[in-house]
Amino acid sequence: MNLVEIFSLLILMSSGSENTAGASTTGRKALAFAAPSDDTTSGSSQEEIPKLPASDPNNKDIPSIKLGETIKFDEMGPIIINLDGTTRRIDNWSELSEREKEVTWRRISKRNEERRKILLEQTERDQQEAECKDDKE
C-alpha cells in the first residue's frame, strides 16, 4: 500500500461516510479499502507527494534531545492546571513583558500546587469510596 492509498484510507476513516456497498454504517465508520494497483508503469495517475526539506544538523536554533535528557519550553510559558485537572497555556505569553512573565510564573506556580494537592486528595477520596463500595458488595 503506497502513501496515497494510506492517506485516502485515513480520510475515509475520519469522514464517517457510508460504506462502499451503500449500506448505512449505523453509528460505526465503515472502511473502504482500495485494491493495490498492479499498474506500475503509469505514475501519472497519482500526484507526487511533497516531501519535507532535509534539516540542517548544525542548526542550533532547532532544539534536540537525547535519551535521558530533558528539554524546557520556557518560551511557551507555564502550564496552567484548571480546577478539573485539565491543562492549558497562556495564549498571549509572547506579548507579556519580562516583569509580567515573572509575576505570572510565581502566581501560577503557587496556584498549580494548590490545585494539584486538591486534585490528589479528591482522587484519593474517590478511590477510598470505590473500595468501600466494592467491600459492601
Side-chain angles (χ1 to χ4, degrees):
M1 189 178 276
N2 65 31
L3 290 175
V4 173
E5 291 170 337
I6 292 171
F7 185 69
S8 299
L9 178 63
L10 290 173
I11 291 173
L12 285 172
M13 290 171 55
S14 65
S15 69
S17 62
E18 293 185 357
N19 62 20
T20 55
S24 174
T25 59
T26 61
R28 294 184 301 163
K29 294 182 181 177
L31 301 179
F33 292 96
S37 172
D38 290 335
D39 184 15
T40 58
T41 58
S42 65
S44 62
S45 65
Q46 297 178 358
E47 294 182 25
E48 181 67 27
I49 298 173
K51 296 179 182 176
L52 293 173
S55 64
D56 180 11
N58 298 322
N59 187 350
K60 301 298 181 193
D61 293 334
I62 300 173
S64 64
I65 186 168
K66 295 179 183 172
L67 185 62
E69 291 182 343
T70 59
I71 189 168
K72 292 186 177 185
F73 294 100
D74 291 342
E75 64 274 357
M76 294 175 66
I79 295 175
I80 299 169
I81 299 176
N82 296 320
L83 292 173
D84 62 353
T86 58
T87 59
R88 63 182 174 91
R89 290 197 180 267
I90 298 173
D91 292 332
N92 65 339
W93 181 256
S94 61
E95 299 168 11
L96 299 178
S97 69
E98 288 303 314
R99 176 71 179 139
E100 290 172 322
K101 288 180 181 182
E102 290 173 16
V103 171
T104 304
W105 272 107
R106 188 173 60 246
R107 292 180 70 196
I108 289 176
S109 297
K110 183 178 178 181
R111 187 175 60 195
N112 280 352
E113 185 61 27
E114 292 169 359
R115 289 181 178 177
R116 191 182 68 80
K117 286 179 184 178
I118 292 169
L119 289 166
L120 286 173
E121 290 171 0
Q122 182 181 3
T123 302
E124 289 175 8
R125 279 194 308 269
D126 291 346
Q127 288 175 349
Q128 289 174 353
E129 289 175 5
E131 289 173 4
C132 289
K133 192 181 260 187
D134 289 342
D135 291 342
K136 290 180 182 180
E137 293 177 356

